Amino acid sequence: MPADFNWAIGGEAGDGIDSTGKIFAQALSRAGRHVFTSKDFASRIRGGYTAYKVRTSVDQVQSVVDRLDVLIALTPRTIDENLDELHEGSVIVYDGERTTMQGVEIPEGMVGLDVPLQSIAEEKGGAIMRNVVALGAACAVADFPIEHLDSSLEKRFGGKGQAIVDNNKEAARAGRDYVHENYDHEFDYDLETTDNDYVLLNGDEAIGMGALAAGCRFYAGYPITPATDVMEYLTGRIEQYGGHVVQAEDELAAINLALGGARAGARAMTATSGPGIDLMTETFGLIATSETPLVIVDVMRSGPSTGMPTKQEQGDLNQMVYGGHGEIPRFTLAPTTVAECFHKTVEAFNLAEKYQTPVYLASDLAMAVTEQTFAPEEFDMDAVEIDRGKVVDDDTIGEWQNEKEQFKPHALTDDGVSPRSFPGTSGGAHMSTGLEHDELGRRTEDTDMRVEQVDKRNRKVETAQEREPWAYREFGDTDSGNLVISWGSNEGAMVEAIDFLEEEGIDVHFISVPYIFPRPDLSEVIEDADDVIVVECNNTGQFADILEHDALTRVKRVNKYNGVRFKADELAEDIKETLSQEITA
Amino acid sequence: MSSDVRFTDFKSDKQPTWCPGCGDFGTMNGMMKALANTGNDPDNTFVVAGIGCSGKIGTYMHSYAMHGVHGRALPVGAGVKMANPDLEVMVAGGDGDGYSIGAGHFVHAVRRNVDMTYVVMDNRIYGLTKGQASPTSREDFETSTTPEGPKQPPVNPMALALAAGATFIAQSFSSDAMRHAEIVQEAIEHDGFGFVNVFSPCVTFNDVDTYDYFRDNLVDLAEDDDYDRHDYNEAKDRILDASKEYQGVIYQNENSVPYEEQHGLTENMSEIPDGAPEDAMDLVREFY
Ligand SMILES: Cc1ncc(C[n+]2csc(CCOP(=O)(O)OP(=O)(O)O)c2C)c(N)n1
Ligand code: SF4
Ligand SMILES: [Mg+2]
């Protein structure tokens, strides 16, 4: 378990919490420390509590924990909201001159550092820098060399001119000096630095970067939390590669624009969250039936309906696996870490084109708002392979024409995969349709052809099942009879939970599943285990249901659906307790 | 693009199943002629069809084509054009497809001004579902679902387009074959979103907006030498004039700059390298 340090800044939405937190996270990353961040926030732009939390260690950190060592509290509510996580000796930095913070109660056993953030900031050039003063104070508490803040201040304020950067650097130093001069308390923290270079990014950015690496050229979307960052990342970057981002009038248009782009031959993508997935489901069957490659990202949030738009949930699994009328072949991938968001996006594009099938990429809010550090080599661009599948050109199209020189976009093949000809290819003109069709793409209601086309489309999934690895990720003690399975973003918390459990003498074998459909066959491992627990962020246990069906047995479940992701220490407790319980039907 | 393309090259080998006399025959013929006259061929043309009797056009024409979800043809067409601006994109569908379930997309397609052509086969009825009121049906038009008429005014598609900032608004009549083909051709040639509302009578379910009705009431703007299609106010007056049915190019904005040009889209996006872009590690380094 990493010797970690947990830090947070909290206040009102609109207080600049996010950007301040990010500056600190970046400084830690620059100092060669690993970082894992999370956000507590309300969806209102102004008003309402919000916090940016940073967990850091010299080792990789992959989860949040229920512990807070240093808290910068801009409002009294920030302290109340975090009482459970604060502990004896926790340091709370606050500005006692701020009207709302006057006479604020510091809980017993904790250290309150009253730092006149605003006055110091004003002295150094403007009240707006008060959060940076607080960062300086935090550096003093954590014994973190303030020089590391400099480069992230430059990154953040460089565009506003050197004077602003310099003012901020001074404001940070003034905050640090104030603590040194006014408190002779011995703080226990000592944030070691290393020479390692890390990059710091969130899941949405990793998806966007994966798309660019994979040759995505066309993105259509409609803004929605927590998927908007994908669109914002691509905007301004995709153009450098000759691509384009279009903001559609709604998700119905977004997916149809993307579909158009894909029919024209571009690698195309859209990203949304639950409410948008509902609208896109209208077109989902068309994508599959017309055999159009398309990547659809669902950055899940708490539902149903508008639910809790800024809260975590993995509630859309059934929608992605079963959604849409009729029977629709599809792939559903669920990256398990921020770095995996990159790799699975690349894979999604290849799968989409190799099998001419829509691919859902299931991410979630926890991953979208987490900034996590990685060695840059984790995103090895040289290793990116692009497989466009069976594309024909002017020279090869003849192999796929009938005796009347008509192209067969839905040719019946052994592996189910038919040729694709991009518009502009001579002799390749054809119709793509949501109607059942023959090999040429012409409407048909012929009973035999109907069966042949349905079988052919499903055969693509069978082929993919055979040809692709669909591997799962394994952690802990693979010989243990205690098997824990999760999907998507829960991996980090569970990996760290293994350490907590080990301390209590409990071994677990943990399988993290990045493929929902098709998925690895877990029936044997499930059968061999004494106890099986499926962990997921939803109420009903959607993945657990699927696994029970696969393995024809009962599993135990740990579900969380209060809107907050799993925390490693809390999850360890849940696992321990669940292991001791009988299965309830 | 070959120069010896004939309009019949755009015909598929499927025989239309439209009712004998349906306006859609003429509408489709005009579209094929216009495509051939503008130097296009089936391999560089992309037709997107809506859902309805009208939407069957995708099956009867020969080109690259998509026949999608009811009401969503316009965004598909825009996506095709953005991803490969070299293609000639034509979208065609019914009045229900375009002005009811797809009305939202219509407004935004007009605003977006992608360089493509939109042909609405307006029969003022839902043909495929066998005769229910459409958004362009008359207020007192009795149908199976509106026994006393819809009791709401029909939408005025051209007014809707004008309000949304259209750069090309035209109307034609499927049985005035020559004029119809000419008008669609002008829409194709227009730099931007060329919108043509085509009176395309349904002989089976609409006994009000018939061939005779349109023949008697149609006023061709081409016969009015004083008419200036570039004059916004004049166009507005005609469009809001409910006493007549106009044929011709009613409005054209000379300064139209299509979406692709505004956004610098020139490349065929289907062409990509077989690995990550050469400088892709820079994308990673941005996150230092
Ligand atoms: C989502 C959806 N709802 C309803 C239908 C049934 N439907 C098919 S065509 C149509 C209306 C067609 O009217 P119009 O667009 O005017 O075309 P026309 O048949 O008159 O050419 C309807 C309601 C459908 N296909 N999809
Ligand atoms: S029902 Fe009307 S619109 Fe449909 S094919 Fe027949 S005449 Fe044409
Ligand atoms: Mg109609």
Side-chain angles (χ1 to χ4, degrees):
Chain A
M1 206 171 326
D4 59 346
F5 172 74
N6 294 280
W7 175 98
I9 179 167
E12 295 269 307
D15 273 343
I17 300 297
D18 243 36
S19 54
T20 311
K22 176 111 190 233
I23 290 170
F24 194 57
Q26 232 150 22
L28 291 162
S29 163
R30 293 283 173 106
R33 294 183 62 86
H34 273 296
V35 167
F36 186 95
T37 77
S38 60
K39 291 175 200 174
D40 296 351
F41 63 114
S43 75
R44 281 176 293 170
I45 297 305
R46 210 163 222 301
Y49 159 76
T50 169
Y52 189 103
K53 299 186 169 172
V54 177
R55 182 154 176 249
T56 175
S57 162
V58 288
D59 302 318
Q60 177 117 48
V61 267
Q62 313 181 55
S63 170
V64 282
V65 287
D66 249 336
R67 213 180 65 246
L68 205 45
D69 304 312
V70 173
L71 173 65
I72 298 171
L74 300 186
T75 58
R77 185 173 166 196
T78 304
I79 300 175
D80 296 340
E81 291 276 351
N82 291 287
L83 277 179
D84 288 350
E85 297 186 13
L86 291 163
H87 55 83
E88 175 120 11
S90 288
V91 177
I92 300 174
V93 177
Y94 66 101
D95 183 350
E97 288 177 9
R98 198 177 183 182
T99 330
T100 54
M101 295 302 283
Q102 275 165 12
V104 77
E105 296 256 343
I106 298 301
E108 248 200 62
M110 297 177 199
V111 184
L113 292 194
D114 182 351
V115 183
L117 304 174
Q118 174 136 352
S119 307
I120 295 176
E122 277 166 358
E123 235 170 74
K124 294 295 164 194
I128 193 159
M129 297 187 298
R130 66 173 187 196
N131 291 359
V132 174
V133 176
L135 288 180
C139 287
V141 174
D143 205 4
F144 181 62
I146 202 142
E147 292 68 32
H148 294 293
L149 265 188
D150 291 349
S151 67
S152 55
L153 288 172
E154 271 156 26
K155 186 161 180 171
R156 176 80 178 82
F157 299 111
K160 298 186 177 169
Q162 194 55 41
I164 302 268
V165 173
D166 291 343
N167 282 350
N168 275 283
K169 287 182 185 174
E170 273 195 43
R173 282 165 177 75
R176 175 197 57 185
D177 295 346
Y178 185 90
V179 174
H180 282 159
E181 283 155 22
N182 293 279
Y183 293 91
D184 53 5
H185 188 89
E186 273 290 317
F187 302 104
D188 298 339
Y189 308 106
D190 170 14
L191 295 192
E192 213 184 304
T193 62
T194 77
D195 290 334
N196 298 336
D197 281 330
Y198 295 130
V199 290
L200 180 71
L201 69 167
N202 67 35
D204 278 1
E205 289 166 334
I207 290 169
M209 188 164 72
L212 292 181
C216 173
R217 290 288 181 273
F218 191 65
Y219 178 96
Y222 186 78
I224 185 167
T225 302
T228 313
D229 277 1
V230 177
M231 186 168 177
E232 288 181 343
Y233 172 83
L234 288 172
T235 306
R237 291 187 178 83
I238 202 170
E239 297 83 355
Q240 293 163 22
Y241 305 101
H244 186 57
V245 168
V246 51
Q247 182 173 326
E249 56 270 29
D250 52 38
E251 289 87 348
L252 303 166
I255 194 162
N256 279 282
L257 277 152
L259 169 64
R263 290 298 338 160
R267 283 198 153 190
M269 178 169 98
T270 183
T272 184
S273 191
I277 287 291
D278 284 352
L279 294 190
M280 291 186 182
T281 300
E282 179 193 59
T283 300
F284 190 68
L286 168 66
I287 297 163
T289 299
S290 63
E291 305 201 58
T292 306
L294 197 66
V295 177
I296 304 162
V297 181
D298 180 2
V299 189
M300 293 176 284
R301 65 187 212 186
S302 165
S305 188
T306 314
M308 300 193 288
T310 60
K311 296 290 184 176
Q312 160 70 353
E313 197 161 287
Q314 297 177 301
D316 301 352
L317 182 138
N318 284 340
Q319 172 83 344
M320 282 181 271
V321 176
Y322 304 114
H325 72 277
E327 299 172 310
I328 308 172
R330 68 191 78 199
F331 299 139
T332 303
L333 315 186
T336 54
T337 69
V338 168
E340 277 295 299
C341 284
F342 170 84
H343 297 290
K344 285 287 171 288
T345 303
V346 174
E347 196 177 330
F349 277 100
N350 285 335
L351 287 171
E353 286 206 309
K354 277 157 84 175
Y355 301 100
Q356 299 167 37
T357 297
V359 180
Y360 272 128
L361 190 75
S363 179
D364 60 32
L365 182 130
M367 210 125 59
V369 301
T370 292
E371 323 259 359
Q372 198 178 347
T373 41
F374 296 93
E377 301 79 55
E378 293 238 17
F379 307 96
D380 180 2
M381 294 293 180
D382 290 336
V384 170
E385 282 175 23
I386 289 180
D387 188 341
R388 306 213 63 185
K390 226 184 261 182
V391 178
V392 297
D393 56 24
D394 289 357
D395 300 327
T396 53
I397 197 154
E399 298 164 31
W400 296 100
Q401 286 172 325
N402 66 9
E403 61 293 346
K404 286 157 101 183
E405 294 190 2
Q406 291 169 311
F407 177 64
K408 298 192 283 186
H410 305 286
L412 297 166
T413 57
D414 289 343
D415 61 4
V417 182
S418 313
R420 269 171 94 202
S421 83
F422 299 149
T425 311
S426 35
H430 64 272
M431 161 78 127
S432 303
T433 173
L435 291 165
E436 193 53 271
H437 43 257
D438 60 15
E439 290 184 289
L440 299 178
R442 297 176 312 186
R443 166 190 203 150
T444 184
E445 289 181 358
D446 178 89
T447 50
D448 293 337
M449 184 49 73
R450 156 68 179 177
V451 171
E452 284 183 307
Q453 288 292 337
V454 170
D455 290 350
K456 164 211 140 56
R457 291 192 292 267
N458 287 332
R459 204 152 60 238
K460 293 190 295 184
V461 179
E462 287 158 23
T463 302
Q465 250 161 333
E466 281 163 24
R467 285 187 193 162
E468 310 291 333
W470 312 110
Y472 52 79
R473 295 153 67 90
E474 256 178 316
F475 304 88
D477 175 1
T478 49
D479 294 328
S480 169
N482 299 323
L483 176 62
V484 176
I485 303 173
S486 88
W487 64 283
S489 70
N490 312 312
E491 181 183 293
M494 189 55 216
V495 166
E496 292 198 2
I498 293 173
D499 295 337
F500 284 104
L501 289 162
E502 213 167 69
E503 280 184 359
E504 304 206 27
I506 301 171
D507 294 333
V508 294
H509 175 197
F510 170 42
I511 290 181
S512 173
V513 187
Y515 301 103
I516 309 300
F517 188 83
R519 60 184 160 273
D521 181 2
L522 296 178
S523 48
E524 246 173 67
V525 242
I526 289 176
E527 201 171 307
D528 291 347
D530 304 325
D531 254 309
V532 183
I533 301 178
V534 180
V535 172
E536 54 195 314
C537 268
N538 55 39
N539 166 265
T540 54
Q542 298 178 28
F543 194 52
D545 286 347
I546 287 179
L547 293 179
E548 284 190 344
H549 183 267
D550 283 355
L552 294 176
T553 185
R554 286 279 175 186
V555 298
K556 294 179 178 177
R557 296 155 190 242
V558 168
N559 299 93
K560 191 170 181 189
Y561 47 94
N562 65 355
V564 184
R565 64 160 62 169
F566 286 108
K567 299 174 183 180
D569 43 2
E570 161 211 72
L571 182 55
E573 278 303 310
D574 289 344
I575 299 283
K576 186 175 148 193
E577 202 184 304
T578 310
L579 281 172
S580 69
Q581 287 167 354
E582 291 300 309
I583 289 192
T584 47
Chain B
M1 263 179 255
S2 52
S3 52
D4 54 352
V5 173
R6 286 168 314 160
F7 89 94
T8 46
D9 292 347
F10 286 97
K11 259 193 180 142
S12 81
D13 59 357
K14 278 262 176 185
Q15 283 310 309
T17 57
W18 287 315
C19 308
C22 175
D24 293 349
F25 286 100
T27 305
M28 179 171 77
N29 277 337
M31 288 164 57
M32 295 191 295
K33 280 185 188 140
L35 280 167
N37 287 347
T38 44
N40 291 294
D41 65 42
D43 289 331
N44 86 319
T45 301
F46 203 108
V47 172
V48 188
I51 295 283
C53 290
S54 42
K56 293 181 183 175
I57 193 166
T59 307
Y60 309 143
M61 283 178 69
H62 174 62
S63 70
Y64 283 92
M66 179 92 220
H67 180 235
V69 176
H70 191 23
R72 317 285 171 235
L74 281 171
V76 175
V80 170
K81 185 71 183 182
M82 290 176 196
N84 185 355
D86 295 338
L87 300 174
E88 185 65 53
V89 176
M90 186 173 278
V91 177
D95 40 309
D97 194 82
Y99 308 143
S100 192
I101 193 166
H105 306 310
F106 176 57
V107 170
H108 293 280
V110 166
R111 284 180 61 215
R112 218 172 259 134
N113 200 34
V114 170
D115 188 7
M116 60 192 205
T117 306
Y118 183 36
V119 174
V120 178
M121 302 150 92
D122 183 5
N123 52 13
R124 301 183 173 177
I125 187 93
Y126 282 11
L128 191 73
T129 47
K130 299 190 166 40
Q132 301 80 26
S134 97
T136 47
S137 295
R138 297 172 191 218
E139 210 160 344
D140 57 357
F141 182 52
E142 295 168 15
T143 75
S144 57
T145 51
T146 57
E148 296 171 33
K151 298 185 180 176
Q152 36 187 324
V155 295
N156 180 335
M158 296 191 294
L160 206 55
L162 195 72
T167 58
F168 184 98
I169 303 173
Q171 199 154 251
S172 66
F173 178 31
S174 64
S175 85
D176 191 343
M178 220 180 61
R179 284 291 290 138
H180 164 61
E182 272 170 21
I183 291 164
V184 175
Q185 181 169 339
E186 288 206 60
I188 293 173
E189 284 163 348
H190 173 67
D191 280 335
F193 188 77
F195 164 52
V196 188
N197 190 68
V198 186
F199 298 130
S200 191
C202 170
V203 292
T204 306
F205 297 111
N206 194 332
D207 55 3
V208 206
D209 294 302
T210 57
Y211 285 101
D212 283 344
Y213 164 77
F214 286 113
R215 245 176 240 127
D216 293 347
N217 289 278
L218 212 60
V219 176
D220 197 330
L221 290 169
E223 286 160 18
D224 179 352
D225 289 340
D226 294 335
Y227 188 72
D228 178 6
R229 65 164 76 170
H230 303 303
D231 185 331
Y232 184 90
N233 286 315
E234 228 181 302
K236 187 183 71 188
D237 290 344
R238 302 294 158 113
I239 286 171
L240 296 179
D241 173 8
S243 69
K244 296 193 188 67
E245 309 282 6
Y246 288 98
Q247 170 164 275
V249 180
I250 297 173
Y251 179 65
Q252 184 168 22
N253 182 339
E254 289 168 289
N255 303 317
S256 167
V257 181
Y259 181 97
E260 309 87 276
E261 212 172 295
Q262 300 257 22
H263 292 267
L265 303 182
T266 51
E267 304 199 23
N268 175 352
M269 295 181 193
S270 72
E271 287 156 19
I272 56 169
D274 50 15
E278 250 166 50
D279 56 355
M281 265 333 268
D282 289 349
L283 293 170
V284 182
R285 280 181 212 111
E286 264 186 61
F287 292 109
Y288 270 133

